[in-house]
Amino acid sequence: MEKMDIDEGNNNNIDEDLYSRQLYALGHKSMKRIMESDVLIVGLRGLGVEIAKNIVLTGVRSVSLHDDNEVEIRDLGSQFYLSEDNIGQPRAESCIKQIKELNNHVNVKLHTGELTEDYLKEFTVVVVTEELFTEQQRINDICHRNNVSFISGNVEGVFGGLFCDFCDYVTEESNDEPLKTFMIAAITQEEKALVSVTEDQRFSLEDGSTVVLSGMKGMEELQDTPFKVHVTDHTGFKIDVDTREFQPYVKGGHVNEVRQPVKIQFKPLSECLKEQPEVAITDFAKMLTPPQIHLCYLTLDKYVNTHQQKPNSHSEEDEKTFIQLAGTINEELKIVDNIDEKVFKAFANTCRGYLQPIAAFLGGIIAQEAVVACSSKYTPIKQFLYFDCVEVLPENCENFQPQNSRYDDQIVIFGKEFQEQILNLNYFLVGSGAIGCEMLKNWAMMGVAAGDEGQIYVTDMDTIERSNLNRQFLFRPEDIESLKSEAASKSIAKMNPATKIIPYSHRVGKETENIFNDVFYESLHGVCNALDNVEARMYMDTQCITYRLPLLESGTLGTRGNTQVIVPDLTESYASTRDPPEKTIPMCTLHHFPNKIEHTIQWARDHFEGIFKNNCDNANAFITQSSFIKSLKGQSLVTKLEIVRSIHDLLVENKTDTFEACVKWARLQFETLFNHNIKQLLYNFPEDMVTSSGAPFWSAPKTAPKPINFDSSNELHIDFIIAAANLRAFIFGISQCRDSQKIAQITDTIEVPEFVAKKVFIPENDQQANQNNNNDNNNDDSDNDSKNYKKIRKAINKAKPSPEFKLNSVEFEKDDPNNFHIDFITACSNLRASNYTIELADKHKTKGIAGKIIPALVTTTSMVAGCVSIELLKVIQKKPVESYKNLWANLALPFITFTEPSAPEKTKVTDDWSWTLWDRFDINTPMTMNELIDYFEDEYQLELSMMSCGHSLMYACFNPKAEIMDLELSKAFEVVCKKTLSPDVNYIALTVMCASLETNEDVDVPWVRYKIPK
């Protein structure tokens, strides 16, 4: 065989714009390995095309497709790149054009004919789908002896499985956890040295972890040598080193976690099939099921080889034959103690069918395993993984004969009537980004909203960016800057022309309740979130509770994914459990005592916002708003002085029309930030300063900083000047300059003032800072500050330009590599890190932290969307709560587990009455306030003591508003709130407080939904 034909355009230069979110999950080193990998995919039904889509988007060097089988109409229910025009043509040939369009960096090729050893051994990874064990074994044997990673996968009805053989696999990154660093507080001199970390940290490494100590003063003998840790408690660990003769520990230093290579040996499939399978457990409620499914697949292999076909759906004779054959195989191999006939009946009755959501779920996992094999990053699955969703099967299945329809693979599982329900669903998809694209594709294949009465509504206010193309697979380069919802709808129309979608570009929230109103929500069967922010999720959660609609929720973070199914009356809501709030950096740590690169990056990001945006916004507001100075009246004198000084800097002191002046400004900024401010800090807190208890002030976690002397030949120094000067030039509309040599020469001519120490207050901690801020607010009579404020205010009023003059405020944009934003933050952060002897960060890491970039992988997205679509099939049937499954997964470990949703919490009113978040009082007949009070007393023996609507108090028993008591409630609402209800509002939500007539004690009760009479 000749050397593989590789696209010359695909070299080692990573397209960081395209792969930016993926790089934050995988890293550059792994990405380069991926770009040097060649993958073969055998089988292009639903599972194969999912894998191909995910691997091509990930960016391997080449993907070869092999499937000579002819397209059948039933393939259109899972293979989204086939159409009716392709029926009778080879599968791989029919879809290669669309797969190529996913990523022009990947060489996608077609292979026809035999899969010989000479051909197979050229690949990095071979993926085989929809083949029996017999053919899998043949290909795997070739791959194993040629050290080619092998993955197989199958979907049969409501079952699926995969097998991995990565030969002798080695990884240096077995998980996705960032390496941990701790500040050293003490090191003992003893036979086994005890290393303690600072009190503000918790030592969270496990026994046997490897660390390196660095940067200590004293105990230098321990520096830069790997040690295994023996954890004592959360404060530290011991190492097997006798330090009694070493120099005593003085101060400083870090404990740095280091990764060690992990070796994993795999067996070939031929060996694994002769013994108890090594199976990954994904559902602890079904721990005994995976071996049963393994036996099902062994039985299917033998059944098809004997009968040349799979068992017929719902054939009692075939079902009986299948179970008997399983018993014979199990007698020989002893796979399970007893055959679970429910599992085997479900397998035999559905294996002729094909569920596209399972293909999406397994397609994400298998593609990620291929990425693991290509990159040698993370821990692979060892060696089998089996999945089932038998809970989705209907209780009574009728009319399951194929209809010569694209949905036949579902009809043989669920029946014709259930397929009709799917076709006529009305669903609201909120978001059409990564998860949204996958969800729309799944729904189109399943037939959601492809009937006469069906409709999908999708909303997304975002437009398409180039970085989206790596995982939002419905979009192409020509769609950039188009609305996501509209572009996605057009792509879906090609996959299933019958799917009906109405796209919107509106944010969900109070401001769009005139669009997504009562009539809209009452027309829906349910809602599916595909969002990336908590605020919108919380809002949709509230809407679904209000309208008693099921909600399908999901999210991803790199290799991690989760799903949550929320069903009225049965489960808790999204808001029932919340993640803990994100930790914030103490202000004094940020401004004066940083000890991590995250601290310096946040400081640099804040500084960027202050000097390039906020200051410009204030200056522009001063120019255009005559009352701007008056608007500062409520601020402290210190704050007002800071604002007018920034305006004076831009409009008087340093206003310019030359780039040279911008360089001078940048050079003076450098001196202030990294030299003078540091000297001032050391003037306030000298290096030898001790606290009131006699301990050194500069002890962990504080590190005494060192001023930086500017050097025009230092690349980092000049990087700061270039970025700062160009951003300053942008503000004034001056042409920018990237000539580093020219800029360095200018800096050498600039005179810099000497440092002069000042008597200024610098807080030691946030408590002191807050106390000082309060003093600032209460002491606005400081003579010097007051005089300076008046003087500067007079100067800027005198120099105030005409309203037509405008400074260009800088809006932070992380994804433009040419705008100097990340360049400035990186240089600024690294210079401050140099001040404090903190390890520097490259531009990529800085961008991720400053831009709060969420790592994203198309593989995780595919897996999550598949799970959500499976739960949709259960929601439609109104299954009991034990049928539903929430997913928690981390494909880096790999960890995949399903759990039953939690029931909603109950609030007890009486022994006979309790309620949950799903309950409410429905008032569907017109009532006045007095009638409502009587209603509560008569029906529930409750005294209505208070009632509000939104922020308006409508009734209080201690002070009733006589003028509204006999008004119909919607009229009373309009009087109290002083606004007219829109005609498209059908209900008013009322919050009530009640007391028991029997005990006179306050009781918690649900809210009231009052129907407005029309």
Side-chain angles (χ1 to χ4, degrees):
M1 174 183 174
E2 293 182 4
K3 192 68 178 173
M4 301 183 78
D5 176 28
I6 302 302
D7 181 5
E8 291 182 1
N10 187 347
N11 55 37
N12 279 335
N13 294 324
I14 298 173
D15 188 339
E16 299 212 13
D17 190 16
L18 178 65
Y19 297 122
S20 65
R21 304 307 183 262
Q22 178 174 298
L23 284 168
Y24 286 101
L26 299 177
H28 286 75
K29 184 179 178 181
S30 296
M31 188 65 212
K32 286 182 178 178
R33 287 175 178 164
I34 289 167
M35 291 169 60
E36 294 166 356
S37 299
D38 306 303
V39 179
L40 168 66
I41 300 172
V42 179
L44 269 299
R45 288 199 71 196
L47 179 58
V49 75
E50 289 283 353
I51 297 165
K53 175 252 298 176
N54 296 336
I55 291 176
V56 169
L57 288 171
T58 300
V60 297
R61 178 166 56 188
S62 74
V63 171
S64 297
L65 308 175
H66 174 74
D67 191 337
D68 296 334
N69 293 300
E70 292 183 355
V71 176
E72 302 174 50
I73 192 166
R74 69 192 188 109
D75 291 334
L76 275 58
S78 61
Q79 222 285 23
F80 44 86
Y81 286 144
L82 298 177
S83 67
E84 291 186 11
D85 294 339
N86 300 127
I87 294 172
Q89 299 173 0
R91 278 201 206 110
E93 184 181 319
S94 299
C95 64
I96 188 171
K97 179 177 179 291
Q98 292 95 321
I99 293 173
K100 278 184 175 181
E101 290 173 354
L102 290 167
N103 191 341
N104 59 15
H105 291 301
V106 179
N107 186 15
V108 181
K109 298 176 289 185
L110 181 68
H111 176 76
T112 58
E114 290 185 39
L115 297 172
T116 64
E117 181 160 356
D118 284 342
Y119 180 71
L120 293 169
K121 69 182 183 181
E122 294 295 317
F123 291 95
T124 313
V125 182
V126 170
V127 181
V128 176
T129 68
E130 317 302 355
E131 291 285 356
L132 297 172
F133 278 142
T134 309
E135 179 63 3
Q136 289 181 39
Q137 267 186 257
R138 183 188 76 81
I139 296 174
N140 176 241
D141 285 342
I142 294 170
C143 291
H144 193 83
R145 64 174 168 261
N146 287 282
N147 201 33
V148 173
S149 294
F150 172 89
I151 310 169
S152 63
N154 290 76
V155 174
E156 260 79 34
V158 293
F159 297 85
L162 65 88
F163 170 80
C164 292
D165 172 16
F166 291 178
C167 308
D168 294 324
Y169 178 82
V170 180
T171 179
E172 292 180 0
E173 295 182 66
S174 59
N175 59 61
D176 64 338
E177 291 287 344
L179 290 172
K180 296 184 174 72
T181 298
F182 307 90
M183 295 193 74
I184 298 172
I187 305 175
T188 62
Q189 288 179 292
E190 57 181 312
E191 188 175 352
K192 289 189 177 182
L194 174 66
V195 181
S196 300
V197 299
T198 55
E199 290 180 3
D200 63 326
Q201 303 173 101
R202 184 180 183 86
F203 188 72
S204 52
L205 296 183
E206 297 178 355
D207 255 352
S209 300
T210 305
V211 299
V212 169
L213 311 184
S214 63
M216 306 92 69
K217 188 173 181 181
M219 285 282 179
E220 281 89 352
E221 296 92 338
L222 296 178
Q223 295 221 87
D224 303 326
T225 303
F227 297 109
K228 296 282 186 186
V229 305
H230 305 285
V231 180
T232 53
D233 54 27
H234 67 276
T235 65
F237 59 93
K238 288 203 166 195
I239 54 176
D240 293 327
V241 179
D242 188 339
T243 58
R244 287 176 290 187
E245 301 299 322
F246 290 3
Q247 291 294 317
Y249 171 79
V250 179
K251 66 176 181 178
H254 292 84
V255 177
N256 303 300
E257 181 188 10
V258 294
R259 290 195 173 99
Q260 296 296 302
V262 176
K263 297 180 181 180
I264 304 172
Q265 285 193 320
F266 287 81
K267 295 177 182 179
L269 181 61
S270 54
E271 287 186 29
C272 294
L273 294 179
K274 296 174 184 176
E275 56 192 29
Q276 284 286 338
E278 190 172 357
V279 182
I281 301 297
T282 60
D283 189 338
F284 289 100
K286 298 181 177 181
M287 288 188 67
L288 301 178
T289 303
Q292 300 279 347
I293 301 174
H294 182 71
L295 182 56
C296 283
Y297 273 103
L298 287 168
T299 306
L300 183 67
D301 188 82
K302 198 152 193 173
Y303 188 100
V304 173
N305 284 327
T306 303
H307 300 277
Q308 275 66 59
Q309 65 173 21
K310 293 180 178 180
N312 288 299
S313 297
H314 304 278
S315 163
E316 290 185 9
E317 183 181 345
D318 287 4
E319 178 188 294
K320 184 178 178 181
T321 303
F322 189 79
I323 294 172
Q324 287 175 343
L325 182 57
T328 303
I329 295 169
N330 193 49
E331 282 181 15
E332 178 187 349
L333 297 177
K334 305 289 189 297
I335 301 295
V336 296
D337 293 334
N338 297 293
I339 287 177
D340 186 336
E341 289 202 4
K342 286 184 178 179
V343 173
F344 279 79
K345 284 180 180 179
F347 193 97
N349 285 324
T350 67
C351 66
R352 274 184 175 255
Y354 199 96
L355 268 192
Q356 190 276 337
I358 297 181
F361 169 70
L362 286 177
I365 297 172
I366 291 172
Q368 181 59 32
E369 291 304 293
V371 171
V372 169
C374 292
S375 63
S376 296
K377 187 183 180 89
Y378 302 144
T379 303
I381 291 171
K382 191 168 186 281
Q383 291 193 250
F384 290 96
L385 182 145
Y386 288 112
F387 171 81
D388 78 271
C389 57
V390 293
E391 304 86 3
V392 81
L393 292 173
E395 303 233 349
N396 299 302
C397 180
E398 296 179 356
N399 297 326
F400 47 78
Q401 293 80 11
Q403 307 290 310
N404 194 31
S405 145
R406 67 185 296 149
Y407 309 118
D408 278 353
D409 276 338
Q410 282 184 174
I411 290 172
V412 299
I413 297 172
F414 299 110
K416 183 181 176 183
E417 287 76 11
F418 183 63
Q419 184 60 44
E420 287 294 324
Q421 281 186 266
I422 296 172
L423 293 172
N424 292 302
L425 283 176
N426 287 282
Y427 248 78
F428 186 24
L429 178 64
V430 188
S432 54
I435 292 176
C437 284
E438 294 287 336
M439 210 68 69
L440 285 171
K441 171 259 297 175
N442 294 350
W443 290 1
M445 295 298 96
M446 294 161 64
V448 173
D452 293 340
E453 298 174 15
Q455 191 71 65
I456 296 171
Y457 306 91
V458 58
T459 190
D460 197 314
M461 60 183 293
D462 287 344
T463 56
I464 298 161
E465 300 173 358
R466 189 162 183 269
S467 64
N468 299 148
L469 305 182
N470 169 239
R471 64 200 181 283
Q472 300 175 22
F473 84 107
L474 295 180
F475 308 140
R476 298 291 175 269
E478 57 268 24
D479 295 321
I480 291 172
E481 295 185 1
S482 301
L483 284 167
K484 287 184 177 181
S485 56
E486 292 179 1
S489 301
K490 289 176 184 176
S491 292
I492 291 300
K494 297 174 185 175
M495 294 181 177
N496 185 350
T499 305
K500 298 202 289 298
I501 304 176
I502 297 177
Y504 292 93
S505 58
H506 304 298
R507 185 195 302 273
V508 288
K510 289 286 183 186
E511 66 272 21
T512 55
E513 287 183 357
N514 62 320
I515 299 165
F516 305 121
N517 53 25
D518 292 337
V519 174
F520 173 80
Y521 281 107
E522 289 181 332
S523 72
L524 300 176
H525 292 107
V527 175
C528 179
N529 278 349
L531 292 160
D532 61 359
N533 69 89
V534 172
E535 182 185 355
R537 284 187 170 112
M538 293 290 287
Y539 175 80
M540 289 310 303
D541 186 59
T542 301
Q543 294 300 90
C544 287
I545 293 169
T546 300
Y547 296 99
R548 292 181 55 81
L549 290 170
L551 172 63
L552 300 168
E553 178 60 71
S554 59
T556 68
L557 180 68
T559 58
R560 304 175 186 216
N562 70 280
T563 66
Q564 183 182 7
V565 58
I566 297 158
V567 184
D569 297 323
L570 300 184
T571 73
E572 64 184 10
S573 73
Y574 173 79
S576 299
T577 53
R578 297 287 303 276
D579 291 332
E582 189 177 341
K583 287 184 179 179
T584 57
I585 305 169
M587 283 296 104
C588 279
T589 300
L590 200 63
H591 292 298
H592 306 298
F593 311 115
N595 56 67
K596 296 178 181 177
I597 194 65
E598 289 82 1
H599 300 164
T600 67
I601 291 172
Q602 185 60 55
W603 176 84
R605 174 72 179 85
D606 292 346
H607 191 62
F608 174 96
E609 196 76 8
I611 61 174
F612 299 124
K613 183 182 188 303
N614 296 346
N615 290 355
C616 288
D617 290 344
N618 286 333
N620 286 332
F622 168 73
I623 294 167
T624 57
Q625 299 171 19
S626 59
S627 60
F628 178 77
I629 295 296
K630 287 182 181 178
S631 71
L632 302 179
K633 188 176 180 181
Q635 304 284 349
S636 70
L637 181 58
V638 172
T639 302
K640 289 192 287 188
L641 186 56
E642 185 180 330
I643 290 171
V644 296
R645 275 177 175 159
S646 70
I647 295 171
H648 187 267
D649 168 66
L650 287 164
L651 300 183
V652 182
E653 186 179 2
N654 290 305
K655 184 181 178 184
T656 184
D657 58 2
T658 70
F659 187 79
E660 289 75 11
C662 296
V663 174
K664 179 181 178 182
W665 174 87
R667 173 65 185 88
L668 296 177
Q669 275 279 308
F670 182 103
E671 200 68 17
T672 299
L673 295 173
F674 311 115
N675 186 284
H676 289 187
N677 286 356
I678 300 300
K679 288 179 177 177
Q680 182 66 54
L681 185 64
L682 292 171
Y683 174 80
N684 281 46
F685 308 114
E687 282 198 69
D688 57 358
M689 180 176 169
V690 294
T691 64
S692 57
S693 63
F697 176 84
W698 291 105
S699 58
K702 294 184 178 75
T703 300
K706 294 178 176 59
I708 297 175
N709 295 316
F710 180 79
D711 180 357
S712 62
S713 65
N714 185 300
E715 186 177 356
L716 178 57
H717 298 191
I718 286 298
D719 283 347
F720 174 85
I721 302 296
I722 293 171
N726 276 285
L727 287 166
R728 183 76 169 185
F730 173 83
I731 288 171
F732 290 107
I734 300 167
S735 297
Q736 297 176 321
C737 173
R738 295 175 182 271
D739 188 337
S740 58
Q741 189 174 355
K742 178 181 176 182
I743 291 171
Q745 289 172 352
I746 297 172
T747 61
D748 289 336
T749 66
I750 297 168
E751 290 187 21
V752 178
E754 292 292 325
F755 168 71
V756 178
K758 302 171 186 173
K759 288 190 176 182
V760 294
F761 173 76
I762 298 177
E764 297 180 29
N765 50 51
D766 280 7
Q767 186 178 354
Q768 283 189 10
N770 292 332
Q771 187 177 350
N772 187 61
N773 288 339
N774 292 333
N775 291 338
D776 285 342
N777 289 327
N778 296 325
N779 292 286
D780 281 357
D781 57 348
S782 167
D783 287 341
N784 286 336
D785 283 355
S786 183
K787 287 177 183 177
N788 285 335
Y789 175 68
K790 291 176 182 177
K791 180 181 177 183
I792 295 171
R793 193 175 72 179
K794 184 178 180 180
I796 60 176
N797 279 325
K798 184 178 179 181
K800 187 174 183 177
S802 65
E804 291 75 29
F805 180 85
K806 186 180 180 183
L807 298 167
N808 298 314
S809 179
V810 181
E811 291 284 347
F812 177 64
E813 171 49 61
K814 61 185 178 294
D815 288 322
D816 182 350
N818 300 312
N819 64 8
F820 294 104
H821 296 191
I822 295 299
D823 300 82
F824 174 84
I825 293 171
T826 303
C828 191
S829 166
N830 282 338
L831 284 164
R832 187 162 176 82
S834 299
N835 282 137
Y836 287 88
T837 324
I838 297 170
E839 186 176 350
L840 310 189
D842 61 17
K843 194 184 294 187
H844 176 75
K845 181 175 181 178
T846 302
K847 176 181 172 181
I849 295 172
K852 297 183 178 178
I853 292 176
I854 299 172
L857 293 172
V858 67
T859 51
T860 316
T861 307
S862 175
M863 172 191 69
V864 159
C867 283
V868 171
S869 300
I870 291 168
E871 295 309 302
L872 172 61
L873 294 170
K874 300 174 187 176
V875 167
I876 298 168
Q877 300 177 73
K878 298 182 179 178
K879 290 280 187 176
V881 68
E882 59 269 17
S883 297
Y884 297 103
K885 298 289 181 182
N886 291 340
L887 168 75
W888 300 93
N890 185 345
L891 296 179
L893 298 180
F895 172 80
I896 302 167
T897 189
F898 293 92
T899 60
E900 187 179 309
S902 299
E905 186 178 335
K906 291 185 177 181
T907 301
K908 184 178 177 181
V909 180
T910 66
D911 290 339
D912 301 324
W913 178 23
S914 61
W915 58 277
T916 74
L917 61 93
W918 295 104
D919 292 308
R920 67 188 181 212
F921 297 106
D922 276 309
I923 309 295
N924 294 318
T925 56
M927 284 190 185
T928 65
M929 183 69 72
N930 280 324
E931 289 170 339
L932 184 67
I933 293 169
D934 293 341
Y935 173 78
F936 270 87
E937 290 182 359
D938 296 341
E939 292 293 323
Y940 301 103
Q941 290 73 55
L942 294 173
E943 179 190 5
L944 186 63
S945 54
M946 197 173 291
M947 184 174 77
S948 62
C949 184
H951 298 294
S952 301
L953 180 65
M954 290 185 64
Y955 169 77
C957 61
F958 54 82
N959 187 24
K961 299 176 181 178
E963 69 273 17
I964 68 166
M965 297 305 291
D966 290 319
L967 288 178
E968 184 269 319
L969 282 170
S970 65
K971 302 299 182 186
F973 169 85
E974 291 181 330
V975 170
V976 172
C977 298
K978 297 178 181 177
K979 69 176 183 180
T980 304
L981 286 164
S982 171
D984 55 13
V985 176
N986 293 335
Y987 301 95
I988 301 173
L990 303 169
T991 303
V992 294
M993 293 179 65
C994 296
S996 169
L997 290 174
E998 182 180 345
T999 65
N1000 205 32
E1001 292 181 356
D1002 289 341
V1003 293
D1004 288 331
V1005 294
W1007 61 288
V1008 176
R1009 187 173 82 152
Y1010 176 74
K1011 187 174 182 179
I1012 301 168
K1014 298 291 185 180

